Amino acid sequence: MSTTRPTTGTRLARALVCALLTAGCGPQTGGGTVTPGTSGSGGSDPDPQGVTEGEGMGELRKRLGDLVDRERGLRPSATSDAGKCEELCELATSICSVQEKLCELADDHPDDDAYQGLCREARNECREAQESCVRCVETNQNQSLPPQ
Amino acid sequence: MRSPRNFVLGTVMAAMLASLGACDPEGDRELGASPDARISIHAVQPGAPTREGLAYIEAVARVHAEADGTTDVDAQGAALRRGLALPVPAGLAEAEVLRLELATRLGETLASRPEGVAVALDLLEPMLDPERSLPLDRASARALVTLGDLAVEAGDDALAVGSYSRAIRVMSSLRKELER
């Protein structure tokens, strides 16, 4: 069943990378960037925080650029969603191929409720998994369209 | 004419033969049972990285590489058995998944010969017993599908259907995790 397997090499590589990353990184501390309104004081301190911000055209343009970048960072990344969709669709393929094997065996036991019940359940899981794959791809396509 | 003693003896013999007929040639597999699709799953919580853990992961990688590097089924089997015999360092939760992968691959290797199917079933069935909780990972699903395939070859439809159903449940749980 090739579809359920990321290869063993891939998995081992992932395990190694995880181990190394966890070993190499301590808890995240602040990024060091001072931005207005991020003092965490709950808005009780209205004074500006951080360096004085200029009012000139160049500085305003730079601030706008920074804000656009931040907004992009907050939006779910289309790239990571594509990876998620790929995984969901792979799972759907695997579930449905196992369902076929299961129901083929169940056909040999037409009068056995246990076999028939498990085949029905497997068909439902296959359908749900396929719907979930399609939903993910459609959502991802809509998100990756440029804003009107 | 049949004496009552012979009749009883005959009945007992017939019952014994009938029960033998319902078992596999190994004599320990009850065929015709109802599929057992129970599944209990747990999330794999990565432990703190340790030198021993890393050494274990590297040793398992070497075992797979060794098995990849030969087409000799016996050599592959020997390498994978060595991998399964590696002592698991304490606290390495990922080892459960790595061991399942080794056992699945060993099961598939053994089953490449007809006489190896029963041995492969004996290896995988206890590891995937419905009473045992399995890690929420594709390795569990893959192992269950392999167990199902082996059961089909052994003519045990109940075990096959139960294993396939459990594999689907693991994959559905993985799907739901992804969708969160």
Side-chain angles (χ1 to χ4, degrees), chain A residues 60-126:
Chain A
L60 285 172
R61 192 174 290 127
K62 184 182 174 304
R63 279 175 63 195
L64 178 63
D66 290 346
L67 285 169
V68 168
D69 287 347
R70 277 178 60 196
E71 192 265 345
R72 278 189 190 137
L74 292 172
R75 228 192 293 170
S77 144
T79 315
S80 67
D81 280 355
K84 189 173 127 178
C85 291
E86 200 179 316
E87 277 195 64
L88 281 173
C89 296
E90 272 176 18
L91 276 170
T93 308
S94 299
I95 288 172
C96 294
S97 81
V98 178
Q99 173 258 311
E100 274 177 31
K101 291 184 189 189
L102 192 159
C103 290
E104 212 168 284
L105 287 170
D107 286 346
D108 295 337
H109 302 262
D111 300 326
D112 193 319
D113 289 346
Y115 282 80
Q116 297 309 312
L118 291 174
C119 173
R120 266 195 306 278
E121 185 191 309
R123 281 210 178 100
N124 288 340
E125 294 289 359
C126 166

Side-chain angles (χ1 to χ4, degrees), chain A residues 11 101 109 121 125 132, chain B residues 101 137 149 157 169 172 179:
Chain A
R11 180 179 297 287
K101 291 184 189 189
H109 302 262
E121 185 191 309
E125 294 289 359
S132 144
Chain B
E101 287 179 335
D137 192 278
D149 293 344
D157 286 3
R169 288 175 186 181
S172 293
E179 282 185 317

